[in-house]
Amino acid sequence: MTTRIFTALILLFSLLPLSGRAQLSLSLKPGELESQLAQTQPTQLSLRGYIDARDLRFLSDSQRQIEYLDLSNCEIFACQSDSYLFGTERTFAANEIPAGCFAGFAALKTVYLPKTTVKIGDGAFCQCEQLTSVAFPSSTFTIGDFAFLGCSRLECTFPGSISEIGAYAFDGCDRLTVADLSAHPLKAIGQNAFSNCKQLTEVILPGSLQQIGKSCFAQCENLLRANLKQTSIPRLPDECFAQCRNLSDIQLPWTVRNIGDGAFYYCESLRSIYIPSTVRKIGDFALSGCKALTSIQFFNGTKEIGRWQFYGTSLTQAMLPPSIVFIDDNAFAGCSGLDEIYSEAYPPELGADVFDGVAQNECTLYVLHEMLESYRATDIWNRFKIMEFASVETPTDDRRLNLFFTGDVLNIESSDIIGQLTIYNYQGIVLYNDAPAGKTCSIDTSFFPERDYIVSAILHDGSLHNIKVRRH
C-alpha cells in the first residue's frame, strides 16, 4: 500500500507545471526554447546547443523572473523572421545579442554570454538594476549604444577584443571603479559611454583609440586620473570630463589638435594641466570652474583661447606662446588673483571683456624686448604693468626650488614633483622644455649660447616658479 502511494506521488509530481522549479538546464536547437520551457518559469536557467532570435524573444517576453542566465554553451544562429521580433527587426545576424533583448529585467543578477558572441546590441541589458556580473567572451568586438545603461550594480572585466563601445553604453554604472582599456584594440568610444559612473577612479585608454564621443566621462565625480597619452585622437570632445570634480591628473596625447567646449568644465581639483604643442584651439569654457587651477602654460602651437576660459579658477600666472593670435570674449574674466602673464607672442587680438575683473594695473605682463613698444601701443594690453623678460626677478627666498651648477650642468632640486620645466634666454626664446616628473633633474647647458637664463618650473601642486640663473 505504501509503495503504491509513493509511486502515485511521483507520477503526480511529474505532471505538475515546472513553474516552481528554481533551476533548469536545457539542450536546444534554434526555435525550440518556447516548446521546451512551456509554462516553466525558473529563476536559474542554463541553455546548451543552438538558439536564435526567436528563443531570445521568448525569454524577453515571458522569462523576466530570471536571476541567473548561463548561455556560455550556446551558439546564436542567424535568423530571418516573418514577423517583427525586436522593434522593427526581422533579420538577425549570428552571434549577436539583439537590441533590447534583456532590457528592464528587474531580477537578473548574473549572465554568462555565448562564447562566440561578437556584438551586444543597443540597450540589450539597459536598466537591469540588479545585474552585478556579466561574463564577456573574448570574441566580443562591439558593445552597442545604451547596452548597460543604468546597471548601477554592474562589475565587469571588459572583453579583450573590444573595438567599439557605444553611446551611453555604461552610463550610470556606479560599481565600475577602473576602466583600464590599455591592452584592448579599442578604436571608438561613444557619447556619454561612461558618464555618471560615480565610483570610477581611473581611466587608461589604448594607443588604438581614434575617437571619443561628447561627455564620455562627464560627471564621474570620483574620477582621479585619466591617461589618454597613448591614444591617437585628433580632438578632445566637448564636455569630455565635465564635472569630474575630483580629477587631478590628466595626460593628453600629442595627436590632439583641439580641446572641445567645456572639456574640463568644473573639474574642481585640477591644479595644473599641460597643453600639448599640437593643440591649435582650446574651446569655450574648457577650463571654466577649475577652482584649484593656479597656473597655465601653453606650448608653441596653440593659436586660440576660447570664451570664459578661466572663469571660476584661481589663476595667478599664465604663459602665452608665440603662436597665440586670438583670445576670445571673457577668457580671463573673474581672475582677480592674476598677477603675472608671460607672453612670447605679438599682441594677440582680443575679444570683448577678456580681462574683466582683472586688476590690470597691478598685474605684470612680461614680454620680449622687441615686443615692448607693440604692447605699449595696443589698447587693453597697455593697461598692464609691462616689463621685458630680462626683468624677471630671482626670488630672495624660494624654498620650493634649489638651483645650482656643477660645471655646465644645471641641477634642480624641488620639494614637489616638477611637472613642467622650461628654460628661456632673456629674449624669451625657449632653450629647453621637458616634463621631468620627478623632484630632481640635471640639464647640460654647455650647448646653450647664453650664460643667463630664466628657469620656469610648474610643480605638481600647480604653482609656477620663475628664477633667474647665471652659468659661471
Side-chain angles (χ1 to χ4, degrees):
M1 182 69 175
T2 303
T3 303
R4 291 179 181 177
I5 293 173
F6 182 71
T7 304
L9 288 173
I10 292 175
L11 291 172
L12 179 63
F13 179 77
S14 67
L15 296 173
L16 288 174
L18 297 176
S19 58
R21 292 192 181 182
Q23 302 180 31
L24 189 61
S25 179
L26 296 174
S27 182
L28 300 170
K29 294 180 180 179
E32 287 186 346
L33 182 59
E34 182 174 6
S35 62
Q36 288 216 31
L37 273 182
Q39 298 180 7
T40 308
Q41 289 190 312
T43 57
Q44 298 184 32
L45 179 62
S46 299
L47 302 180
R48 302 182 308 277
Y50 307 100
I51 59 175
D52 63 21
R54 292 170 296 172
D55 303 304
L56 294 171
R57 179 66 196 188
F58 172 72
L59 286 177
S60 182
D61 283 346
S62 61
Q63 300 294 319
R64 305 181 75 85
Q65 80 293 334
I66 291 176
E67 299 176 9
Y68 173 96
L69 180 61
D70 185 356
L71 303 176
S72 60
N73 293 308
C74 285
E75 183 176 348
I76 301 174
F77 275 27
C79 176
Q80 177 72 44
S81 174
D82 294 332
S83 58
Y84 299 124
L85 293 180
F86 291 95
T88 58
E89 296 297 324
R90 293 180 177 178
T91 302
F92 299 89
N95 301 315
E96 294 186 6
I97 304 295
C101 185
F102 300 101
F105 269 49
L108 188 61
K109 297 178 180 179
T110 303
V111 174
Y112 290 86
L113 295 174
K115 295 174 183 177
T116 54
T117 303
V118 297
K119 181 180 179 180
I120 299 171
D122 296 349
F125 295 92
C126 175
Q127 300 295 344
C128 291
E129 296 180 354
Q130 298 299 316
L131 187 62
T132 59
S133 175
V134 175
F136 293 106
S138 59
S139 58
T140 303
F141 294 105
T142 303
I143 297 177
D145 299 344
F146 308 96
F148 296 95
L149 181 144
C151 296
S152 58
R153 297 173 181 265
L154 179 64
E155 300 178 28
C156 66
T157 300
F158 298 99
S161 57
I162 188 70
S163 63
E164 182 179 355
I165 297 175
Y168 294 89
F170 294 95
D171 178 84
C173 292
D174 290 345
R175 293 288 180 89
L176 291 181
T177 57
V178 176
D180 185 355
L181 295 157
S182 57
H184 299 66
L186 188 63
K187 294 182 179 179
I189 304 177
Q191 174 179 341
N192 290 86
F194 292 93
S195 57
N196 295 294
C197 292
K198 303 301 184 185
Q199 300 304 316
L200 189 65
T201 60
E202 185 173 15
V203 171
I204 308 174
L205 300 180
S208 57
L209 190 66
Q210 301 171 8
Q211 182 180 347
I212 300 177
K214 178 182 177 181
S215 305
C216 188
F217 300 98
Q219 297 182 313
C220 292
E221 58 188 31
N222 285 301
L223 183 64
L224 302 174
R225 296 172 296 277
N227 186 345
L228 286 68
K229 196 171 183 178
Q230 302 304 318
T231 70
S232 53
I233 58 171
R235 183 177 189 273
L236 192 69
D238 296 351
E239 302 170 17
C240 186
F241 294 98
Q243 299 184 64
C244 292
R245 300 187 185 278
N246 285 295
L247 182 65
S248 59
D249 185 359
I250 176 71
Q251 298 182 55
L252 298 176
W254 289 93
T255 56
V256 67
R257 295 181 62 84
N258 290 284
I259 294 176
D261 296 347
F264 299 99
Y265 183 75
Y266 274 84
C267 290
E268 296 177 339
S269 299
L270 195 63
R271 294 178 294 182
S272 62
I273 184 170
Y274 309 120
I275 308 297
S277 59
T278 53
V279 172
R280 297 295 177 260
K281 181 179 180 180
I282 302 174
D284 300 342
F285 304 93
L287 294 163
S288 182
C290 297
K291 66 181 183 180
L293 190 68
T294 58
S295 63
I296 186 74
Q297 180 172 4
F298 301 97
F299 293 108
N300 194 23
T302 302
K303 295 182 177 182
E304 296 183 37
I305 299 174
R307 298 179 301 144
W308 296 97
Q309 193 62 235
F310 303 107
Y311 183 79
T313 69
S314 300
L315 203 65
T316 60
Q317 298 159 317
M319 301 190 72
L320 305 177
S323 54
I324 288 286
V325 295
F326 181 62
I327 302 175
D328 212 339
D329 302 349
N330 301 95
F332 290 89
C335 295
S336 58
L338 186 64
D339 55 25
E340 289 182 332
I341 298 176
Y342 297 81
S343 178
E344 301 174 68
Y346 185 83
E349 180 184 352
L350 301 176
D353 302 317
V354 168
F355 297 104
D356 185 34
V358 176
Q360 288 182 254
N361 61 337
E362 298 177 7
C363 181
T364 304
L365 173 62
Y366 294 98
V367 301
L368 304 182
H369 174 75
E370 59 268 30
M371 298 294 184
L372 278 171
E373 294 309 313
S374 295
Y375 276 94
R376 288 169 178 166
T378 305
D379 192 26
I380 308 299
W381 288 112
N382 58 15
R383 300 177 190 178
F384 289 97
K385 291 193 300 182
I386 301 175
M387 304 179 73
E388 61 177 299
F389 265 86
S391 63
V392 173
E393 297 181 357
T394 303
T396 57
D397 185 22
D398 192 330
R399 299 181 181 179
R400 307 296 303 279
L401 292 174
N402 179 32
L403 281 69
F404 60 94
F405 279 94
T406 304
D408 291 332
V409 176
L410 174 61
N411 302 288
I412 301 175
E413 299 175 347
S414 171
S415 63
D416 197 359
I417 293 173
I418 304 169
Q420 192 67 40
L421 184 69
T422 307
I423 300 178
Y424 302 87
N425 63 15
Y426 278 12
Q427 288 71 49
I429 305 302
V430 175
L431 304 175
Y432 177 88
N433 186 53
D434 196 14
K439 292 186 177 182
T440 63
C441 65
S442 298
I443 302 156
D444 184 0
T445 66
S446 61
F447 299 100
F448 297 174
E450 297 90 348
R451 296 172 57 196
D452 296 301
Y453 320 114
I454 297 169
V455 177
S456 178
I458 299 179
L459 303 188
H460 186 66
D461 64 1
S463 61
L464 175 64
H465 300 254
N466 292 297
I467 303 174
K468 290 172 68 173
V469 295
R470 168 170 286 189
R471 184 183 67 200
H472 297 291

